[in-house]
Every structure is written in C-alpha cells, then in structure tokens.
Amino acid sequence: MSTNEKHTENVLTLPNLSSDDNDITPSSTSPPNSVHSVDIEKKASEDHVDLEQVNLSLPAKLGHSSFTRWLYLIAFSYYRKTFTVIFVANLIAFIAFVAQNQGTPSAENVGSAASANLMVTLLFRQENFVNLVYELATDIIPLSAPLWIRRRLAKVFHYGGAHSGAGVAAVVWYIMYTALTTKDHIAHPTKWSLANVVTSYILVLMFCFILGGAHPRFRRRFHDYFEAIHRYSGWVAVCTFWMHQCFAGNQYRLLQPNPPSLGRYLISTSGFWTFVISSCCTALSWGRLRRVDVLPEPLSNHVIRLHFKYRNIKPFYGLKVSTKPLLEWHAFATVPDDDAKGKPDGFSIVISNAGDWTNDVIQNPPKKLWIRGYPLHGLLYTSKLFRKIVVVATGSGIGPPLSLFYADFTPRRIFWSTPAPETTYGSKIIDMVKKADPDAWIWDTRKQGRPDMVAVTYKLVVESGAEAVFIISNPKLTRKVVYGMESRGIPAYGAIFDS
C-alpha cells in the first residue's frame, strides 16, 4: 500500500470509531462524521496522512437512526422511486380519462394507455434504447459538474424500475380494458366484439403469467422457469395483440357514424403505433440472433475465458450468450482483446462456476455459442461520471471491471478478494489488475481469511480521495458494502438484483 499520498478532498480528521463489519443497520445517536460530504467538491487538502501508521476506523453513520437510513437508502431506492413515478403518472392519466368521459373511460383510451405502457416496458429492455439512456446520463455531464448531480445520474442503472413500473401499469390498464370491452360486447354484440373479448382475455392471462413469474422471490428460486414464462408468454401476447388490434378496430370503427376502413382507423389510433414500436423492439433483438465461433481458454477447474473474433467490442459493454437459445440466456461483461501488436482483436468473457450451465461450459468448453441482441452498457459505464473511484470485487466479480481497466478512463484503486487468485484466474488477469492499479489489494481468502470489506473499502476511499465506490459481488455483500458507504455519505454502486 502506497503512503503519504495527497487527498483530493478536504479531509481534516480521521475518526477513531469502532468497526461495524457484522452490523448492517445499527442505530447511532452520535453526531454524524464523514470524510465524504458536500466538502468533497472543495480544494484538495495539502495535508499528508500515512495510513500505515494510522488506526483508521469507520466513522459514525449519517442520519438520526437506523430506521431513517433504511427508509432513505433501501426502502426508497431509485428503482422503487422510478417505479412509483411511472405508476403515479398512470394514475393521473386514469383520473383524466374518468373526468373526460364523465365517470367511465372509453375502451379506446384505456387500450391506448395499455399499449403505451407496453411500449415503455419493451423499450427499457431494448439494447440500443438502454444504451442511449446510459449515454445521455453519463456522456453529456462534465466532471466539473457538482458531485450531487453526478452521483444521482449514476443511478441510471436503476432503469429496471421504469421497465417494471410500466409493465405493471400495462397489466392494470389491460384488465380495465377487458372489463370495458366486455361491457361493450354485451351492449352491442357482434362477431368482431366477441373476437375482441376472447383475445383480450388471452392477453390478460399472458400478462398475468409474465407478472407472476417476474416476482423477485419466484425469479430467484426458479430462474429458468421465469425465463421460459417471460419469453413464451410474451411471444404469445405479441402475436395475439396483432389479431386483437384488427378485431378491436373492426368493432369500434363500426360504431362511428361514417365508419372508415380498417386500415385508416388503425393508423389514426395511437395504440397501433405504440404497438408497432413494441413489436420492433422484440424483432430487433431476435433479428440479431446468430451462432458464432468461440476460442476457449481454460484458466482453472473453476474459471474459463471465452474469446470471440467475429467482431470488436469497445469497453463497458455486456453480451448475452446461450447454448440453447429458446430456453436460456446468460449475460456477461465483455473485455476487449488485443493482438500481439496491441491492435483490437475481438473480445472475451470470463465465466466462473456459479451453477449448472457455467459448470458445463467450464467442464466442456464450447466451440460455438449463440449470441443475441446488441452489446449493452452496464453498471460500470457510469464510472465515467467520477474523477476517481474505488473498484471492489469478490471472486469472479473481477470479470466486469476488466473492461473498465482496459479503457483506463477513470483513475481507480482496486480491492479484489478471492480464494487463490493466481491459481484460479491465472497470471494474465492478475497482470491486468496490477497494470490498472500497481498498488491493488489482491486478498487471498484462503491464506488471509475473510476481510472486513466495508472497512477496507473505506480505507481505500480515504487514502485515494475517490469520489465513488463500485462493487461487483454477490447480492448480500453488494448490499452490505453499498449501504456501508452510502450511510457515510460516500456514493456507492452495485448491481441490483430485482430489475
């Protein structure tokens, strides 16, 4: 560990308080102290602190109690805030429809609202659109912008809240639409209204399957079933929706004084165009399905690195791969590869043993894999918003940051905790880590035991003057480190597992 480094923030004291490694949300009645506050934007201090000679401990957490911290940092996460904003906007639209139609909204308006929400749901799963959202949030803002703005924009990876919020709203709208169109069929029964009602109930059933299968608890315990339900129910819904559009168009155009043609009626409705966009989102992703060659590089009996040469990929992207494209897909961060002359030469992904599929890939390295969609930005893309960061990884969590290390865009300190790093991951990955940070902490848990992740991360933040922490780990440890930093005023980001 290097010493006598200058801080890039105005740090005046180093609190000597006890660590809380095993306490996630303790209450604190002492005044909050933090080396990271609004003062982080001030001129760098000229004081030198030799961290090897200082007994650096964690300061008290911010806030009045553990309950208020839980509300602010966990209960009201940006994911849930985004979900709530989407849902409230839909509630306002519903009230407007009711007021406009003197108590009962029209089926056409409700159907258009359902289709609009379905479009938003699918847009936030379409790779090019999500990449655009990342780039708008990250690339336009200069590093000279206040930290309070940049730390909030870095929460863009919570876009899953928009996907789920609009998805739930679409189901609610469509249940309402089905009730209204059933009422209209009873009042004016025709063959078109009957067909509309039947397809509406099929769509409601498919949407309920999708919504039920996406519940976080079911998704975690039965992930393969979740994927199958989501995919096949979605495909049935898309096909049924196109038939439903025609049936509904014929039903409601005939109720007009001078009925237009079906085509003219459809193109005059907003619901038709929003569903065209929704269909294009699905078609664009699956239209990029292809089977490509793979060059496997076994690193150990626990880890394998797969190289792809069919195209080059820039840093900060991820890709979905599969051996059975109709059944399951697995997303991995990509790492650009260079040839002997240092020129771009494809990319690679690092896979560790984390389940049946990954174990099979490691034990039986594939020669070909299916890929789908466009490369997608991930959490670490937002690291570009900060002047300096601390990267924390455990085990195979070092895979995604390798792309960040390759880009060499943001200065960083690295803390990697893993069992037998040299034996498990090989010298190439060790060299990439050390090249990115010559003073990187590579913690061998087999020799050194389990580290206090929060305390070590905090020490690196203080030592380097970093503005933010990024962690790639398992859900439990990710939540612990993110909470441990955020509760002390330090921006911290880790993958979310309910998107």
Side-chain angles (χ1 to χ4, degrees):
M1 181 66 61
S2 60
T3 59
N4 295 330
E5 294 185 10
K6 292 184 179 179
H7 291 282
T8 59
E9 52 183 337
N10 192 20
V11 181
L12 301 179
T13 60
L14 292 173
N16 185 17
L17 301 175
S18 60
S19 171
D20 61 344
D21 179 47
N22 297 317
D23 190 2
I24 302 298
T25 57
S27 60
S28 173
T29 56
S30 58
N33 296 300
S34 176
V35 298
H36 254 262
S37 63
V38 293
D39 290 337
I40 196 170
E41 300 293 336
K42 294 182 179 180
K43 183 179 178 181
S45 171
E46 296 298 325
D47 297 335
H48 294 271
V49 179
D50 186 348
L51 292 177
E52 300 299 331
Q53 304 300 323
V54 175
N55 182 20
L56 181 61
S57 302
L58 292 172
K61 295 177 180 178
L62 304 176
H64 297 291
S65 68
S66 60
F67 179 70
T68 58
R69 287 192 293 272
W70 177 83
L71 284 177
Y72 182 73
L73 299 174
I74 299 176
F76 298 144
S77 66
Y78 276 76
Y79 182 98
R80 290 171 179 163
K81 288 176 183 176
T82 304
F83 183 102
T84 303
V85 168
I86 295 288
F87 212 82
V88 169
N90 278 277
L91 181 60
I92 293 172
F94 170 72
I95 294 172
F97 288 159
V98 170
Q100 180 182 356
N101 292 276
Q102 299 179 346
T104 303
S106 67
E108 292 104 316
N109 283 344
V110 172
S112 295
S115 185
N117 277 278
L118 182 62
M119 178 190 70
V120 173
T121 302
L122 293 177
L123 278 174
F124 278 97
R125 279 296 180 262
Q126 205 285 317
E127 297 89 357
N128 298 92
F129 181 81
V130 172
N131 286 344
L132 177 62
V133 172
Y134 266 105
E135 289 159 11
L136 288 175
T138 302
D139 295 345
I140 296 177
I141 303 300
L143 290 176
S144 58
L147 179 63
W148 68 267
I149 294 178
R150 290 182 283 126
R151 71 182 296 175
R152 285 164 175 78
L153 287 174
K155 297 285 188 178
V156 66
F157 66 95
H158 285 266
Y159 66 86
H163 169 77
S164 58
V168 172
V171 174
V172 174
W173 278 114
Y174 213 81
I175 291 174
M176 193 185 311
Y177 171 84
T178 302
L180 291 171
T181 200
T182 301
K183 178 182 176 182
D184 291 342
H185 170 66
I186 295 173
H188 305 282
T190 66
K191 63 178 182 180
W192 299 117
S193 65
L194 177 60
N196 185 23
V197 168
V198 171
T199 52
S200 294
Y201 278 98
I202 293 174
L203 284 171
V204 168
L205 182 62
M206 293 301 105
F207 289 157
C208 288
F209 281 159
I210 293 172
L211 202 61
H215 189 277
R217 185 171 297 177
F218 180 89
R219 181 175 177 173
R220 285 192 295 267
R221 293 188 61 186
F222 308 102
H223 189 80
D224 290 345
Y225 291 105
F226 152 74
E227 278 201 50
I229 292 172
H230 225 66
R231 181 170 301 114
Y232 294 118
S233 297
W235 287 354
V236 171
V238 168
C239 295
T240 305
F241 217 119
W242 275 112
M243 293 187 290
H244 161 74
Q245 286 279 344
C246 297
F247 297 150
N250 275 320
Q251 177 185 354
Y252 289 107
R253 74 181 179 87
L254 295 176
L255 298 178
Q256 298 183 3
N258 296 307
S261 65
L262 176 61
R264 186 176 295 275
Y265 176 82
L266 287 178
I267 64 175
S268 68
T269 62
S270 61
F272 172 78
W273 292 110
T274 52
F275 189 65
V276 166
I277 295 174
S278 300
S279 301
C280 289
C281 289
T282 301
L284 190 58
S285 179
W286 284 94
R288 289 166 168 161
L289 180 69
R290 66 180 69 179
R291 196 165 183 245
V292 298
D293 294 328
V294 179
L295 300 176
E297 179 191 0
L299 301 180
S300 67
N301 59 4
H302 183 76
V303 180
I304 191 171
R305 187 173 182 180
L306 303 180
H307 297 266
F308 300 80
K309 303 299 180 183
Y310 73 95
R311 62 165 295 173
N312 295 329
I313 291 183
K314 296 180 179 180
F316 301 112
Y317 282 100
L319 194 68
K320 296 176 182 177
V321 299
S322 177
T323 52
K324 301 174 182 178
L326 296 180
L327 296 179
E328 58 181 352
W329 287 88
H330 304 268
F332 295 94
T334 62
V335 184
D337 284 346
D338 290 341
D339 60 17
K341 297 181 180 179
K343 295 182 179 180
D345 184 29
F347 65 95
S348 62
I349 60 177
V350 177
I351 299 176
S352 68
N353 188 357
D356 294 340
W357 188 87
T358 53
N359 180 62
D360 184 62
V361 168
I362 293 170
Q363 301 303 322
N364 305 287
K367 299 296 182 181
K368 289 182 177 290
L369 281 176
W370 291 93
I371 60 99
R372 174 171 67 89
Y374 192 80
L376 181 69
H377 286 318
L379 164 70
L380 291 172
Y381 189 76
T382 62
S383 65
K384 298 166 68 176
L385 283 165
F386 302 100
R387 295 190 181 97
K388 193 168 188 178
I389 61 174
V390 170
V391 178
V392 181
T394 61
S396 59
I398 197 63
L402 293 178
S403 180
L404 181 151
F405 303 159
Y406 178 94
D408 198 23
F409 185 86
T410 306
R412 87 294 299 169
R413 292 302 315 275
I414 300 170
F415 176 43
W416 179 26
S417 173
T418 186
E422 186 83 31
T423 304
T424 306
Y425 295 91
S427 60
K428 290 183 180 179
I429 290 182
I430 299 293
D431 291 343
M432 291 180 70
V433 173
K434 290 183 176 179
K435 180 180 179 181
D437 178 10
D439 295 319
W441 280 25
I442 302 179
W443 190 289
D444 187 342
T445 56
R446 287 185 182 171
K447 296 180 179 178
Q448 300 169 276
R450 293 183 180 273
D452 182 338
M453 298 295 292
V454 175
V456 174
T457 301
Y458 175 78
K459 180 174 183 177
L460 286 176
V461 170
V462 174
E463 179 193 52
S464 64
E467 289 187 322
V469 172
F470 287 82
I471 176 170
I472 308 296
S473 184
N474 59 67
K476 182 178 180 181
L477 191 55
T478 296
R479 288 191 289 266
K480 181 176 182 178
V481 173
V482 169
Y483 180 84
M485 296 299 104
E486 289 277 2
S487 61
R488 294 173 174 88
I490 302 169
Y493 308 91
I496 54 177
F497 301 92
D498 56 351
S499 61

